Amino acid sequence: MGFKQSRADYSLFTKNSDSGFIALLMYVDDVTIASNNEQLVKVFKQELSSYFKLKDLGDLRYFLGLEVPRSKSGISVCQRKYTPELLEEYGQLGAKPCRTPIEVNYIMTHIEEGLIADPTEYRQLIGKLLYLTITRPDISYTVHVLAQFMDKQASVHMEAAHQVLR
């Protein structure tokens, strides 16, 4: 249909024409469409419906755990639902917030003592925290430091990961 796949994100497809720009973001069977021309979107949806059964949910409100609220000042992205669910899952919903997720100049290293027997919980938590950095760039540094210990995580690493949730 004339779309070009992005080299930076293989789930993103774009198409430029004289009448405007249209972008598709795909995830399995979910497609988000953005354009500067509503008529382009309408024509695209009609053409696509000749190949597939479509369910048009209207304006984007929620996509892959991201909420997309609209206001007069524009569109924003947040994880208002995801964040408390994550805190509750790890028993941190009522925790007292800390000022910084990791102390300044704190050096975390690989250690051989106190290794976690089952690394699954640590890896899952770090993955969820990485996803949270989409709307919480303030925790990015700490989460990326913690992600360096996916091969050998000790209880000190898990404690630091839980600290990010506070």
Side-chain angles (χ1 to χ4, degrees):
M1 296 175 78
F3 284 85
K4 291 186 179 178
Q5 188 173 24
S6 168
R7 292 162 115 181
D9 184 343
Y10 294 128
S11 63
L12 177 65
F13 297 82
T14 59
K15 181 179 179 180
N16 284 307
S17 68
D18 293 337
S19 54
F21 170 82
I22 188 167
L24 309 174
L25 185 59
M26 303 178 79
Y27 183 77
V28 186
D29 61 350
D30 291 330
V31 179
T32 299
I33 304 169
S35 179
N36 60 353
N37 183 330
E38 286 187 46
Q39 187 60 32
L40 272 178
V41 174
K42 186 177 179 182
V43 169
F44 172 71
K45 287 179 182 178
Q46 287 172 345
E47 190 171 348
L48 201 58
S49 69
S50 67
Y51 297 102
F52 305 101
K53 182 179 176 185
L54 299 182
K55 183 176 181 181
D56 189 348
L57 300 175
D59 286 343
L60 181 65
R61 290 189 195 110
Y62 196 78
F63 187 70
L64 303 178
L66 299 171
E67 292 175 63
V68 187
R70 297 168 184 262
S71 69
K72 290 180 182 178
S73 59
I75 300 171
S76 61
V77 178
C78 69
Q79 292 174 302
R80 204 173 334 196
K81 185 175 184 253
Y82 180 79
T83 305
E85 287 175 354
L86 180 61
L87 292 172
E88 184 174 19
E89 180 180 351
Y90 289 93
Q92 299 293 324
L93 194 56
K96 186 177 179 182
C98 66
R99 186 177 288 227
T100 59
I102 196 169
E103 294 299 321
V104 179
N105 297 325
Y106 182 80
I107 298 173
M108 194 164 288
T109 59
H110 280 90
I111 56 175
E112 295 298 326
E113 44 200 59
L115 294 178
I116 298 171
D118 182 13
T120 305
E121 183 182 353
Y122 182 81
R123 291 175 181 164
Q124 288 174 343
L125 176 54
I126 297 302
K128 291 172 183 183
L129 289 171
L130 282 167
Y131 191 67
L132 187 59
T133 63
I134 294 170
T135 58
R136 292 289 310 274
D138 58 316
I139 65 170
S140 291
Y141 173 75
T142 303
V143 174
H144 284 87
V145 166
L146 292 169
Q148 296 174 20
F149 302 98
M150 297 290 255
D151 61 329
K152 278 189 181 177
Q153 12 357 82
S155 57
V156 67
H157 302 123
M158 182 61 95
E159 289 171 23
H162 281 268
Q163 180 73 20
V164 175
L165 294 171
R166 293 189 199 118

